[in-house]
Amino acid sequence: MKELILIRHAKSSWKDSSLKDFDRPLNKRGEKNAPKMAKILRKLVKTPDLIISSPSKRTKQTLNYFVDEFNYKNKIIFEDSIYEAPYSNILKIIQNINKKYNIVFLIGHNPGLNDLVDFLLENFDENIPTSGLVKINFNVNSWDKIEKNSGNLEFFKYPKMLDI
């Protein structure tokens, strides 16, 4: 079985309008929610075998909270094609993961993550808010076997749902 945990980056700041979107940092709410969601995730899943992240500033900052909470020391891949990506780009990244990895965290952006979850599950019509977590299990032995409606939702959690 393969386990995919999708993490939408925490809330980012629009304070400095001179910054490119890629360079926007987390705002205060993001800095508050990300570590709390990392703690919640730590109670629900084992340490990942691999983390893949968009290289944007806000995803890297979000990633740091999860790395710290899980005391993660394994490989991190910063994948440019996750940033502003359609779900098909993200799906290709997932399908190319080495089969030796069983638990993978992927940190990215909407609408790509939402569209990916809708593709992998049948009728997922929720919006994944900032700091949202989605865990999908796949009854396959290789990531390249993942296809439309092949996933099983284990959980979907986000800060407002948990009164954070």
Side-chain angles (χ1 to χ4, degrees), residues 26-93:
L26 297 182
N27 68 13
K28 287 180 184 174
R29 189 169 97 194
E31 290 172 350
K32 178 185 133 209
N33 287 348
K36 289 180 179 180
M37 293 305 289
K39 285 182 187 319
I40 288 166
L41 186 61
R42 181 70 183 114
K43 294 175 184 174
L44 297 170
V45 300
K46 294 179 183 174
T47 300
D49 303 314
L50 175 68
I51 296 177
I52 304 171
S53 178
S54 162
S56 75
K57 184 166 188 167
R58 61 191 177 273
T59 50
K60 284 182 173 180
Q61 288 178 312
T62 301
L63 165 68
N64 287 336
Y65 290 110
F66 288 85
V67 166
D68 290 348
E69 184 63 35
F70 281 82
N71 195 27
Y72 183 80
K73 306 268 189 233
N74 297 328
K75 188 173 185 177
I76 298 173
I77 297 172
F78 291 101
E79 179 57 59
D80 291 335
S81 64
I82 294 174
Y83 178 71
E84 293 189 337
Y87 83 89
S88 56
N89 287 21
I90 304 168
L91 180 63
K92 285 178 191 168
I93 293 164

